Amino acid sequence: MPSALLLALALVAGPAAAPAAPAGRHPLTIDDLLALPRVGDPDLSPDGALIAFTVARTAPDGGGLRSAVWVVGARGGEPRRLTRDDGRVRAPRFSPDGKRLAFVAARGGAPQLWLLPLDGGEASPAAQVPGGVGEYRWAPDGALLVVADVDPACGAELACNERADAAAAGQPYRADRLLFRHWDEWRTRKRAHLLRLPPDGGPAVDLTPGDRDAPPVSRGGIGDVEVSADGRTVYFVAVTDPVEAISTNGDLFAVPAAGGAARQLTRAPGWDGSPRLSPDGRRLAWLRQPRAGYESDRRHVMLAAADGSGERDLTAALDLSPDQLWWADGGRALRFTAEVAGTVEVHELDPATGRTTRLLAGRHLEALVPSRDGRVAVALVDSMAAPPEVALLSPPARRQGPLEVAFRTRFGAAVLDAVEPGRLRRLEATGQDGAAIHGWLLTPPGHQPGQRHPAVVLIHGGPQGAWTDGWSYRWNPQLYAARGWTVVLPNPRGSTGWGQAYTDAVRDDWGGRPYQDIMALTDAAVASGEADGARLCAAGASYGGYMVNWINGQTDRFRCLVTHAGDFDTASAYSDTEELWFPEWEMKGTPWERPEAYARSSPSTFVKNWKTPTLVSHGERDYRVAVTQGLSTFTALQRRGVESRLLVFPDENHWVLKPRNTRIFYQEVFAWLDRHLASPSPSPTTP
């Protein structure tokens, strides 16, 4: 469940009782959602003139997405497509000289790198990488750094890896260590290594040899790789603890680009990642999570000499958790993004004084890519009412002021110009301990003051996550509002964006304050007059699915429940999952060390109280919350005689991703909710 972000929600035709949208516009439907082009993966050319990105569309059979590489002028203009729209392509990245565009595509085999000349011509394959390309980046000298799964005994040697793959075909999985599977794949033989493809086309070099994942597959990625300006030194992250499954420790290393012994630069107990060299190459900035074992710890901006010496914490007193980090103003400033109260802000940090200045607020953005001088950036900008589009973030024409956001694509307009969204506002309440707690309330399209609607409480995953004013193809509250329901989106204790203490408060209290907070925010929605307290259902996935199971044993105020990929029994879930640091942090130990904590927080402890009709959904390839948790939930419901239904997708993991499965899933979900929310509230009686 950690950092698990949730499954796709979709919509079938809305009920007749839904409020009417304005003439000529209609509430969002599943057909609208699946018709929306999905814009992603932006990159900015070295001269700042072009933005490359991908556009994906639902494949005709609904089994996945087809995508292509597009470009648009940074100053505006009409986007144009550069590649065929006949498969999946991703990660378009400009070469350092701006003459070529690399991208990843699986054209008749494993995903590999392709190089497209920007002055005309067809894309050609780069050197083939063993196991296919995971992530990659360009080095300043034109080399390509690629994360690939290799047999540790073979390293970057392609023929050796092919022989090892052939020998392993048809064999059972064998494991001698933990973290032997991850998300939806078994990882018993191969390791993720960082390979360097020289610019002259010579043989690939394995920069991180050995029987370990570097960069780690459980966390991090190509964003944790940096290269010196002369291309001679590569920085990366590796886990130094012996048991990866119980460790969130990651340290920075430097290795010669030609290969050789790596030098360890950091030795803190928690995570060190996102290394960023200053423009002059003399200083290294990075992000650190100080506490061992805690993947949601606050990130601090660290600064040291390029060799790691003289490190200091620039944000020790700042209660923000920086995410994307980059240099600006010729090395006189650092900039970072941070989630704040359901949006994403951009801040500038003076390395000399530690003083921060907010440059952008009130927006939701991701996938930010800065220009070479850090002055401008491109990013995907979205909201709960509109999907991501490519935008340019740049300083105002005047010398002072916030960054200005200028959209460069409008691919969603053809669909959304005909859609009337629900209205979103903030929802606040007071917890049982007197603390301020937060959330959102979304009313249906056409809602009028004084109208009260059936309501659905949607509970986010994590638990260290949050409902933000951002779009989701996997969990879209607008689809619920489109059915005529008020949607309550609680951000209880454990949620991110309201300070680290708020996030930390869920630890060893999964069913305590977070549950109370969700109930308090639900009460606030009912008290507002916009949610019908007699017609409530609740739904959630991952930690949200756990919380739905927990709710079933604590209250009967809901007419129905929907739980996807949620824990049923916390002790058995410990042994089912793969990233063991998560339950060990959350429950402050293992089940045999703290059996009372696991039992106290386990929905299975309260099955005797279950009585609310429940739809149970799970993906059979989910290795984060194993399908046995969903099967156990359904079994308990059936043995209790509670109205229930089980929905298992054999080809999905922790999320429902395939468009055709999305449609099936929500046909089931909305039919379930419709059935239990359709009857009117009881009429008030006169005493």
Side-chain angles (χ1 to χ4, degrees):
M1 285 179 300
S3 51
L5 301 179
L6 307 164
L7 93 138
L9 299 187
L11 178 65
V12 293
R25 294 162 71 92
H26 62 267
L28 187 71
T29 70
I30 179 58
D31 290 330
D32 295 325
L33 185 74
L34 297 183
L36 279 169
R38 306 187 185 193
V39 179
D41 267 343
D43 192 44
L44 185 63
S45 63
D47 62 3
L50 277 180
I51 303 169
F53 56 97
T54 59
V55 180
R57 293 177 169 85
T58 299
D61 65 358
L65 299 170
R66 289 182 174 180
S67 52
V69 176
W70 291 65
V71 292
V72 68
R75 295 185 178 182
E78 285 298 313
R80 56 191 177 93
R81 191 174 69 186
L82 297 185
T83 68
R84 302 191 301 270
D85 194 6
D86 60 353
R88 284 303 303 273
V89 301
R90 56 182 169 85
R93 300 291 181 263
F94 289 97
S95 62
D97 60 10
K99 295 180 179 180
R100 294 177 294 170
L101 193 65
F103 60 90
V104 180
R107 295 181 170 177
Q112 297 289 348
L113 277 171
W114 293 74
L115 302 175
L116 178 69
L118 290 174
D119 59 358
E122 292 293 320
S124 60
Q128 192 170 3
V129 173
V133 173
E135 297 180 283
Y136 78 99
R137 61 162 290 171
W138 289 94
D141 62 354
L144 286 159
L145 301 174
V146 177
V147 178
D149 282 345
V150 302
D151 188 303
C154 298
E157 187 181 338
L158 181 62
C160 177
N161 276 279
E162 290 176 341
R163 290 192 298 270
D165 290 346
Q171 293 293 310
Y173 298 119
R174 297 178 173 89
D176 300 297
R177 55 176 172 79
L178 289 174
L179 208 63
F180 52 87
R181 63 181 191 172
H182 190 251
W183 281 116
D184 59 1
E185 63 175 347
W186 284 78
R187 299 192 60 83
T188 58
R189 184 176 61 86
K190 292 191 174 185
R191 290 293 204 168
H193 284 187
L194 183 63
L195 311 183
R196 180 178 182 269
L197 307 182
D200 60 5
V205 178
D206 187 351
L207 298 180
T208 59
D211 188 18
R212 68 176 180 181
D213 293 307
V217 296
S218 55
R219 311 184 70 199
I222 202 66
D224 297 303
V225 174
E226 177 67 302
V227 190
S228 62
D230 60 10
R232 297 173 61 182
T233 305
V234 176
Y235 296 79
F236 67 92
V237 176
V239 175
T240 52
D241 292 343
V243 184
E244 295 160 286
I246 61 172
S247 173
T248 62
N249 184 22
D251 284 305
L252 296 178
F253 290 78
V255 65
R263 180 166 42 90
Q264 186 170 346
L265 305 182
T266 63
R267 298 181 183 275
W271 177 261
D272 289 295
S274 303
R276 301 290 182 264
L277 281 168
S278 60
D280 62 8
R282 298 173 60 186
R283 293 170 294 167
L284 182 69
W286 72 94
L287 298 179
R288 167 173 291 170
Q289 292 177 304
R291 287 179 281 184
Y294 188 21
E295 66 174 1
S296 297
D297 196 12
R298 180 167 75 88
R299 290 178 290 272
H300 297 232
V301 178
M302 306 297 296
L303 185 66
D307 62 1
S309 62
E311 69 173 42
R312 57 192 178 98
D313 186 345
L314 300 181
T315 58
L318 187 66
D319 197 12
L320 294 176
S321 189
D323 187 7
Q324 294 178 267
L325 178 69
W326 70 100
W327 288 92
D329 195 19
R332 289 182 290 272
L334 281 159
R335 291 182 178 180
F336 62 83
T337 62
E339 182 185 334
V340 179
T343 61
V344 175
E345 296 183 351
V346 177
H347 289 252
E348 184 168 280
L349 171 66
D350 184 336
T353 66
R355 180 176 177 270
T356 59
T357 304
R358 186 169 59 191
L359 301 182
L360 181 68
R363 292 281 191 169
H364 189 266
L365 57 90
E366 59 185 356
L368 183 146
V369 178
S371 60
R372 281 186 169 179
D373 62 8
R375 183 172 178 270
V376 303
V378 295
L380 299 177
V381 180
D382 62 337
S383 71
M384 200 173 285
E389 299 282 0
V390 173
L392 185 73
L393 314 181
S394 58
R398 57 188 184 279
R399 294 180 65 97
Q400 301 295 325
L403 294 174
E404 295 179 343
V405 179
F407 284 94
R408 294 297 180 244
T409 65
R410 292 189 72 244
F411 281 87
V415 173
L416 292 183
D417 283 352
V419 169
E420 179 68 17
R423 179 178 175 272
L424 182 70
R425 68 171 176 84
R426 292 189 182 273
L427 182 66
E428 307 292 335
T430 302
Q432 286 190 4
D433 58 356
I437 51 176
H438 313 280
W440 304 89
L441 190 135
L442 181 66
T443 49
H447 168 78
Q448 298 297 319
Q451 286 184 325
R452 184 177 62 173
H453 311 282
V456 180
V457 180
L458 299 183
I459 305 169
H460 69 66
Q464 294 87 1
W467 285 113
T468 64
D469 186 11
W471 184 264
S472 175
Y473 288 101
R474 296 198 300 265
W475 185 276
N476 195 308
Q478 290 285 353
L479 293 173
Y480 287 86
R483 300 191 67 80
W485 302 325
T486 291
V487 186
V488 183
L489 302 164
N491 283 319
R493 250 67 70 91
S495 301
T496 53
W498 284 272
Q500 193 60 40
Y502 196 87
T503 301
D504 291 349
V506 70
R507 189 185 188 197
D508 199 26
D509 195 27
W510 273 30
R513 280 178 292 186
Y515 166 73
Q516 297 162 6
D517 292 351
I518 291 167
M519 295 302 104
L521 288 161
T522 302
D523 291 340
V526 172
S528 75
E530 294 151 303
D532 186 346
R535 286 193 290 171
L536 295 171
C537 287
S542 197
Y543 174 78
Y546 158 90
M547 182 55 71
V548 167
N549 291 338
W550 180 263
I551 283 171
N552 210 349
Q554 308 301 316
T555 180
D556 60 359
R557 72 182 297 182
F558 295 97
R559 287 190 175 189
C560 72
L561 301 170
V562 178
T563 176
H564 174 83
D567 278 352
F568 166 77
D569 182 84
T570 54
S572 63
Y574 171 90
S575 300
D576 289 343
T577 195
E578 10 86 288
E579 294 182 350
L580 294 178
W581 66 72
F582 176 70
E584 291 188 17
W585 174 270
E586 294 298 319
M587 303 300 171
K588 296 184 176 179
T590 64
W592 51 91
E593 293 167 335
R594 300 196 73 225
E596 75 292 343
Y598 280 79
R600 168 170 45 83
S601 296
S602 181
S604 62
T605 301
F606 302 93
V607 166
K608 62 182 181 296
N609 299 331
W610 285 15
K611 58 178 68 72
T612 305
T614 303
L615 173 64
V616 182
S617 172
H618 224 104
E620 199 163 21
R621 295 180 62 203
D622 186 351
Y623 300 157
R624 177 56 42 83
V625 178
V627 68
T628 50
Q629 296 296 315
L631 303 181
S632 298
T633 301
F634 179 67
T635 298
L637 288 161
Q638 288 282 304
R639 290 292 291 123
R640 284 281 300 152
V642 178
E643 180 188 355
S644 50
R645 185 175 179 85
L646 177 66
L647 183 66
V648 175
F649 291 92
D651 56 346
E652 297 286 8
N653 54 25
H654 198 57
W655 307 296
V656 175
L657 299 175
K658 295 180 172 62
R660 62 169 175 255
N661 289 339
T662 295
R663 187 183 296 276
I664 293 169
F665 178 81
Y666 280 99
Q667 286 172 344
E668 294 277 354
V669 168
F670 287 121
W672 188 261
L673 296 174
D674 279 338
R675 184 186 318 148
H676 293 93
L677 291 173
S679 60
S681 302
S683 298
T685 57
T686 303

